[in-house]
Amino acid sequence: MDYTLSNIDSDKKDRIINAAIEEFSLYPYDKASTNNIVKNAGISKGLLFHYFESKQELYDKLVGFVINKLYNEISSQIKWDEKDILERIKHLIVVKMKIGKKYPHMFDFIIKVLSYKKSSSVDDVMDLYGKYGVDFQVILSDIYTKNIDYSLFRKPEDVQKNINIFQWTLEKYSEEKLLNLSETDVLDYDEIIVEIDEYLNILKSTFYN
Amino acid sequence: MDYTLSNIDSDKKDRIINAAIEEFSLYPYDKASTNNIVKNAGISKGLLFHYFESKQELYDKLVGFVINKLYNEISSQIKWDEKDILERIKHLIVVKMKIGKKYPHMFDFIIKVLSYKKSSSVDDVMDLYGKYGVDFQVILSDIYTKNIDYSLFRKPEDVQKNINIFQWTLEKYSEEKLLNLSETDVLDYDEIIVEIDEYLNILKSTFYN
DNA sequence: TATCCATTGACCACTTTGGTCTGTTATGAT
DNA sequence: ATCATAACAGACCAAAGTGGTCAATGGATA
């Protein structure tokens, strides 16, 4: 399976991918329109079906591409030697925001895919899902557990709930940040990290020793 | 304007409302299908257009009905004499969960409506939005500010961020609770309140004097 | 019996659907 | 220069879906 869709010219490829991701993240498979995709990608109907033999194949390849991309992006950027779970979460949030800025609908798309999980008829993609979808979710959970120093917490009996508070706080923070963003806005990550750090300090000073 | 849609038989009314809310919360106006609505409501096409003269009127009346319903439900159940913001938020969350259980898609629907805010051509509904949509958002903000005792906070300089942490934590909690719920499940509110109280205790003991 | 209105679903004109096909242009090897 | 092959366009197709209509039915009330 070709995760990169590399036989297509790079610029056009990005336009197709982005248009398709947007369409499939906006609407469920049946309501997603290939007409919209070609319109937004700025290509002809014929070309789309020259590259992909059907709407289904386009969708399947897209899932493969996106899961692969996210997996690589996240796993390569997480600092596994960081033992403080708050720093881990912060790092994940920033990575997610960066990806979300470049591919605005990638996360919506993959969340939809993983939650529906409706079996694809194409074996190749089920394999792919088994291979990467599972790994993808494993790595997400590893971030919160692997090599974490739980002795930092003031109250050992509340560790799980504390972690939830950490996670929920930072997730909502980034959601709201991305939500109030117009198309052309540029994210100032330094500024964001400063703001996140303020929350981190509050959380650390109250929940850690 | 008839907020109750009361000329329709109550049982059938609920089915139509729920089916329409679901369809409009799932898809944007153009992609929402009246065929789906009548199918899910278990009525004939003719009957829908007997009650509502067009798809647009159905949508407009629905917006009025839902905003009115939410406004009344929330404003009547909030305890305005409660000075602890955490208790306020907790109460709001529980109310939201109860509404979300009876009308599963009402909140998705209204969030979509309020965020798009695309001007309706029907004056009546713009008035309605001006009247209730604004009030609705005012009341939501009042919950977090009106008659709140801020002296409870340990660190006065962090009050706003602390409140954000409270809000985000409890919102995410309820979102996840409702998300992992199958259609037939019954919500045990006593149990939920116990669980929320555990979070409240943690937050109070760390952020309050 | 006559009136009335809720209710049905076949039906309409129109749009949109995924996909095809023929033709044209660009590329690049010989 | 030639020829093959790929890239690309867009008119076109049958099929499905769209919002909306309307004559017909059935049940209730007077």
Side-chain angles (χ1 to χ4, degrees):
Chain A
M1 164 72 77
D2 177 20
Y3 301 129
T4 59
L5 281 45
S6 61
N7 50 326
I8 310 177
D9 163 68
S10 153
D11 172 57
K12 203 164 305 180
K13 183 185 73 174
D14 266 6
R15 268 158 40 218
I16 296 177
I17 288 175
N18 271 325
I21 285 179
E22 177 170 6
E23 187 72 10
F24 283 121
S25 73
L26 240 32
Y27 314 110
Y29 182 84
D30 284 330
K31 300 227 175 194
S33 159
T34 53
N35 292 334
N36 273 346
I37 293 174
V38 301
K39 198 193 304 165
N40 292 332
I43 61 167
S44 69
K45 196 80 171 289
L47 189 56
L48 183 71
F49 285 94
H50 173 69
Y51 286 133
F52 306 94
E53 71 174 18
S54 69
K55 182 186 182 182
Q56 185 69 51
E57 199 208 65
L58 165 63
Y59 179 83
D60 292 341
K61 292 229 163 143
L62 210 58
V63 172
F65 173 80
V66 169
I67 289 186
N68 189 254
K69 179 98 183 170
L70 288 181
Y71 179 83
N72 289 337
E73 209 76 27
I74 291 177
S75 64
S76 71
Q77 293 192 46
I78 289 296
K79 295 179 186 165
W80 293 106
D81 53 342
E82 174 63 64
K83 286 174 152 39
D84 181 347
I85 195 171
L86 262 170
E87 296 293 337
R88 279 270 184 89
I89 298 177
K90 164 188 161 187
H91 213 81
L92 176 63
I93 294 291
V94 173
V95 171
K96 276 168 87 171
M97 290 179 82
K98 283 183 181 170
I99 299 174
K101 187 57 188 160
K102 185 173 179 187
Y103 299 94
H105 301 90
M106 219 183 223
F107 266 98
D108 301 339
F109 175 70
I110 211 60
I111 283 167
K112 236 178 186 172
V113 170
L114 291 182
S115 65
Y116 280 136
K117 211 187 289 189
K118 49 187 269 189
S119 60
S120 166
S121 55
V122 183
D123 287 328
D124 204 10
V125 169
M126 279 314 288
D127 285 351
L128 179 70
Y129 177 79
K131 195 169 184 308
Y132 280 98
V134 173
D135 280 1
F136 183 65
Q137 293 187 326
V138 166
I139 207 180
L140 281 184
S141 101
D142 276 354
I143 289 171
Y144 292 92
T145 54
K146 209 164 200 169
N147 199 29
I148 295 296
D149 181 6
Y150 295 108
S151 71
L152 292 171
F153 287 88
R154 186 169 295 169
K155 294 189 179 178
E157 72 272 21
D158 287 338
V159 165
Q160 187 50 55
K161 287 196 170 59
N162 289 359
I163 292 177
N164 284 342
I165 292 173
F166 295 171
Q167 184 183 343
W168 290 339
T169 297
L170 294 183
E171 272 179 9
K172 271 277 180 190
Y173 167 84
S174 75
E175 281 174 21
E176 300 211 346
K177 206 78 190 178
L178 287 176
L179 210 66
N180 302 327
L181 207 66
S182 59
E183 293 292 326
T184 54
D185 279 348
V186 180
L187 276 184
D188 183 344
Y189 289 105
D190 293 333
E191 186 190 309
I192 284 174
I193 287 176
V194 168
E195 204 173 356
I196 290 183
D197 277 335
E198 290 170 12
Y199 281 99
L200 250 57
N201 286 336
I202 292 175
L203 293 170
K204 281 182 185 175
S205 72
T206 49
F207 289 106
Y208 281 178
N209 285 313
Chain B
M1 165 70 77
D2 177 20
Y3 300 130
T4 59
L5 280 46
S6 62
N7 50 329
I8 310 178
D9 163 68
S10 152
D11 171 56
K12 204 166 304 177
K13 184 185 72 173
D14 265 6
R15 267 159 39 219
I16 296 177
I17 289 175
N18 270 325
I21 285 180
E22 177 170 5
E23 187 73 9
F24 283 121
S25 72
L26 238 34
Y27 314 110
Y29 182 83
D30 284 329
K31 301 227 173 193
S33 159
T34 53
N35 291 335
N36 272 347
I37 293 174
V38 301
K39 199 194 304 167
N40 291 332
I43 61 167
S44 68
K45 195 80 169 289
L47 189 56
L48 183 72
F49 286 93
H50 172 69
Y51 286 134
F52 306 93
E53 73 174 16
S54 68
K55 183 186 181 181
Q56 185 68 52
E57 200 207 66
L58 166 62
Y59 179 82
D60 292 341
K61 292 229 162 144
L62 209 57
V63 173
F65 173 80
V66 169
I67 289 186
N68 188 255
K69 180 96 183 171
L70 287 182
Y71 179 83
N72 289 338
E73 208 76 26
I74 291 177
S75 64
S76 71
Q77 293 193 47
I78 290 295
K79 295 178 183 164
W80 293 105
D81 53 342
E82 173 62 63
K83 287 175 153 36
D84 180 347
I85 194 171
L86 262 170
E87 296 293 337
R88 280 269 186 88
I89 298 177
K90 163 188 161 187
H91 214 79
L92 176 63
I93 294 291
V94 174
V95 171
K96 278 169 85 172
M97 290 179 82
K98 281 181 181 167
I99 299 174
K101 186 57 187 162
K102 186 173 178 189
Y103 300 94
H105 299 89
M106 219 183 224
F107 267 98
D108 301 338
F109 175 69
I110 211 59
I111 283 169
K112 237 179 185 171
V113 171
L114 292 182
S115 65
Y116 280 136
K117 212 185 290 189
K118 50 186 269 186
S119 60
S120 167
S121 54
V122 184
D123 287 327
D124 204 10
V125 168
M126 279 315 288
D127 286 351
L128 179 70
Y129 177 79
K131 195 168 184 310
Y132 280 97
V134 173
D135 280 1
F136 183 65
Q137 292 186 328
V138 165
I139 206 182
L140 282 184
S141 99
D142 276 354
I143 290 172
Y144 292 92
T145 54
K146 209 166 201 169
N147 199 28
I148 295 296
D149 181 7
Y150 293 108
S151 70
L152 292 172
F153 287 88
R154 184 168 298 170
K155 295 190 181 177
E157 72 273 20
D158 287 338
V159 165
Q160 188 49 56
K161 286 197 170 59
N162 288 359
I163 293 177
N164 283 343
I165 292 173
F166 295 171
Q167 184 183 342
W168 292 339
T169 296
L170 293 182
E171 272 180 9
K172 271 279 178 185
Y173 167 84
S174 76
E175 281 174 21
E176 300 211 346
K177 206 78 188 178
L178 287 176
L179 208 68
N180 302 325
L181 206 66
S182 58
E183 293 293 325
T184 55
D185 279 349
V186 179
L187 275 183
D188 183 342
Y189 290 104
D190 294 331
E191 187 189 309
I192 283 174
I193 287 176
V194 168
E195 205 174 356
I196 290 183
D197 278 335
E198 290 172 12
Y199 281 100
L200 251 56
N201 287 336
I202 292 177
L203 292 171
K204 282 182 184 175
S205 72
T206 50
F207 290 104
Y208 282 178
N209 287 312

